[in-house]
């Protein structure tokens, strides 16, 4: 009778909780005989990595695993930590809240879209985690969220629970709306100059400091009535208390220097200077302040304030002791961050492991998640990428991408599915609703409004179409 009950229970679990059974059967993964680029302890030849319950438990040669462990032969292949993108707008259904200059009350967490196909494509490029940011239309924008790209899972499983919260700041042309004149009859939004942007930020922190003092007085019993909760100022109080990281969009060195001086005036440290194409001009000052720099390598001249970019930026910052990461701000560049890391070896001669850190361990440090990911070390999450060859080679490609020991991208499975998808496409194209107008079908309705795939540096108002299909 007991055996019957046990069998029925196992059957029930297998039907209704298949992933639970699967996880129990494959809680060990052994990657064998790889060239392991650890990003912290050098490159290890012909090395095995043992993963248990999503964590790296052993690194060495000729490791043993249980009989039911999943074995991956990585002979002739390279293994690196998962790539971390420190500036992304992937998987969000809204980028900017344009209406105010300070929108710290908004939260990117509210608009995450776990079904965004760009997540899967990022995994195909070896990206396992990212900082998902509000856009740069505001001097102080919305709250950010740090995620792992667990494509196919519920959105709550994407969020890294112990990652410090962040908030987006922006300087320069975007928050002062230089390239976006108001519509006829519309009142221009303040600020319209760079000095106005700094004033907005200073004013917000003065108000936040006063708000914090009001709460401190109440908690100390100096006042009897609690202050009214202010959703705009609460995140800025967290910045003042060192509980929330500031990620500041900007290009010109004078603006980033101004922001660091303002931060020191109010007693906090800027987490990262984002884009920072002129950061090489103030590298010692950035190092002294303690901010990180998350940059483009050689993407420049797309606007006036980006003209002074140089490809040696990463090298100069690294040489001055700044923690440097390379970001994408793009669904496309995100898939090629390994090649951006290779470029810093060419421009300045950054050592190989330091270049690898700029897309793995350094962004993990900037986001406060380096204790769990960013390098291949015992005790860390098994966020790993298996490459066909050296990851800095343009001829190499990702074979497998793992997050916490689970494979989220497998090139062989992807290739196999393409045939199935092509057959499905052909079937769908035969349906009357999908026939071309010349073959008896009817023209599709032209959408009255659609959201462009815009990111930080092409932020704009919603793109509208006239009745005739032309641009408004």
């Amino acid at each position: 009778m007991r055996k019957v009950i046990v069998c029925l229970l196992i059957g029930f679990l297998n039907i209704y909780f298949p992933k639970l059974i699967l996880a129990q059967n494959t809680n060990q993964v052994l990657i064998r005989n790889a060239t392991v680029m650890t990003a912290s302890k050098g490159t290890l030849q012909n090395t095995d990595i043992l993963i248990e319950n999503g964590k790296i438990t052993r690194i060495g040669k000729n490791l043993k695993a249980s009989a039911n462990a999943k074995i991956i032969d990585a002979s002739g292949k390279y293994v690196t930590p998962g790539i971390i993108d420190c500036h992304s707008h992937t998987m969000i259904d809204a980028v900017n809240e344009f209406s105010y200059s300070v929108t710290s009350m908004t939260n990117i967490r509210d608009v995450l879209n776990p079904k965004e196909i760009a997540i899967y494509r990022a995994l195909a490029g070896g990206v396992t985690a990212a900082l998902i940011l509000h856009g740069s239309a505001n001097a102080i924008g919305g709250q950010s969220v740090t995620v792992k790209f667990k494509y196919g899972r519920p959105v709550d499983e994407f969020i890294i629970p112990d990652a410090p919260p962040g908030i987006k700041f922006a300087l320069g042309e975007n928050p002062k709306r230089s390239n976006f004149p108001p519509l006829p009859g519309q009142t221009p939004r303040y600020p319209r100059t760079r000095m106005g942007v700094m004033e907005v930020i200073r004013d917000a922190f003065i108000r936040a400091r006063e708000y914090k003092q009001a709460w401190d007085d109440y908690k100390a019993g100096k006042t009897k009535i609690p202050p009214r909760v202010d959703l705009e100022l609460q995140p800025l109080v967290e910045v003042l208390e060192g509980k929330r990281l500031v990620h500041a969009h900007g290009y010109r060195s004078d603006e980033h220097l101004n922001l660091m001086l303002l931060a020191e005036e109010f007693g906090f440290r800027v987490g990262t200077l984002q884009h920072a194409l002129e950061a090489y001009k103030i590298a010692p000052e950035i190092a002294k302040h303690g901010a990180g720099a998350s940059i483009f390598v050689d993407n420049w001249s797309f606007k006036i304030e980006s003209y002074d970019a140089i490809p040696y930026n990463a090298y100069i910052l690294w040489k001055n002791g700044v923690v440097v990461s390379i970001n994408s701000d793009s669904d496309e560049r995100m898939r090629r961050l390994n090649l951006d890391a290779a470029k810093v070896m060419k421009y300045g001669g950054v050592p190989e492991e330091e270049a690898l850190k700029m897309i793995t361990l350094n962004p993990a440090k900037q986001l406060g998640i380096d204790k769990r990911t960013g390098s291949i070390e015992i005790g860390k999450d098994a966020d790993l990428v298996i490459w066909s060859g050296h990851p800095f080679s343009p001829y190499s490609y990702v074979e497998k991408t793992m997050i916490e020991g689970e494979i989220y991208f497998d090139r062989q499975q992807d290739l196999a599915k393409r045939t199935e998808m092509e057959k499905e496409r052909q079937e769908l194209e035969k349906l009357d609703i999908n026939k071309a107008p010349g073959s008896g079908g009817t023209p599709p309705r032209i959408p009255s409004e659609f959201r462009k795939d815009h990111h930080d540096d092409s932020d704009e108002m919603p793109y509208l179409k006239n009745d005739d299909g032309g641009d408004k």
Side-chain angles (χ1 to χ4, degrees), residues 372-404:
R372 67 152 61 229
T373 190
S375 59
I376 300 177
E377 299 180 70
I378 292 174
K380 286 195 172 184
D381 294 348
D383 301 340
L384 306 172
V385 185
I386 301 176
W387 302 81
S388 63
H390 196 293
F392 290 171
S393 168
Y395 299 103
S396 297
Y397 51 82
V398 172
E399 294 200 348
K400 289 180 174 61
T401 300
M402 307 173 72
I403 298 176
E404 296 171 12

Side-chain angles (χ1 to χ4, degrees), residues 82-84 123 126-130 147-149 383-385 401-403:
I83 293 171
I84 301 172
L123 289 164
V127 181
T128 56
V147 303
K148 289 190 179 182
F149 283 152
D383 301 340
L384 306 172
V385 185
T401 300
M402 307 173 72
I403 298 176

Side-chain angles (χ1 to χ4, degrees), residues 162-221:
D162 54 351
I167 189 168
K168 178 70 173 293
F169 283 26
L171 309 170
E173 294 182 16
N174 286 15
K176 70 188 183 74
R177 314 310 292 151
S178 299
N179 303 309
F180 310 102
L183 297 174
Q186 184 183 54
T187 302
R189 192 196 73 182
Y190 179 82
R192 301 296 288 178
T193 65
R194 295 176 191 276
M195 63 181 174
V197 172
M198 294 306 300
E199 189 279 331
V200 165
I201 297 173
R202 175 173 278 105
D203 173 75
F205 275 107
I206 289 173
R207 290 185 288 118
R209 187 167 57 187
E210 293 172 349
Y211 175 69
K212 178 180 182 299
Q213 186 61 55
W215 273 104
D216 289 345
D217 289 346
Y218 171 73
K219 292 173 183 177

Side-chain angles (χ1 to χ4, degrees), residues 315-357:
Y315 167 76
I316 294 172
L317 289 166
W318 167 74
K319 198 70 174 176
N320 279 271
V322 178
V323 176
V324 184
S325 71
I326 301 167
N327 71 58
S328 73
D329 190 18
S330 163
D331 293 345
E332 303 304 316
R333 286 199 301 270
M334 177 185 281
R335 296 183 283 143
R336 302 175 181 85
L337 285 173
N338 58 309
L339 300 182
D340 275 350
K343 294 172 187 176
V344 304
M345 295 181 67
K346 173 179 174 60
Y347 297 111
V350 175
E352 180 181 84
E353 183 164 89
E354 294 298 322
L356 179 61
K357 284 182 181 179

Side-chain angles (χ1 to χ4, degrees), residues 28-37 44-51 56 58-80 376 384-388 399-400 402 407:
Q28 275 196 348
V29 180
L30 180 60
I31 301 174
R32 281 183 170 162
N33 205 34
T35 299
V36 179
M37 301 176 71
L44 310 176
Q45 302 294 333
N46 304 315
T47 297
D48 302 344
I49 302 172
L50 181 63
I51 301 163
I56 299 169
R58 295 187 65 192
I59 302 171
K61 297 181 185 294
N62 302 314
L63 299 182
K64 304 296 183 183
S66 62
N68 60 354
K70 180 179 178 63
I71 309 297
I72 299 175
D73 183 7
S75 300
K77 307 182 192 305
Y78 284 73
V79 178
T80 68
I376 300 177
L384 306 172
V385 185
I386 301 176
W387 302 81
S388 63
E399 294 200 348
K400 289 180 174 61
M402 307 173 72
I407 296 173

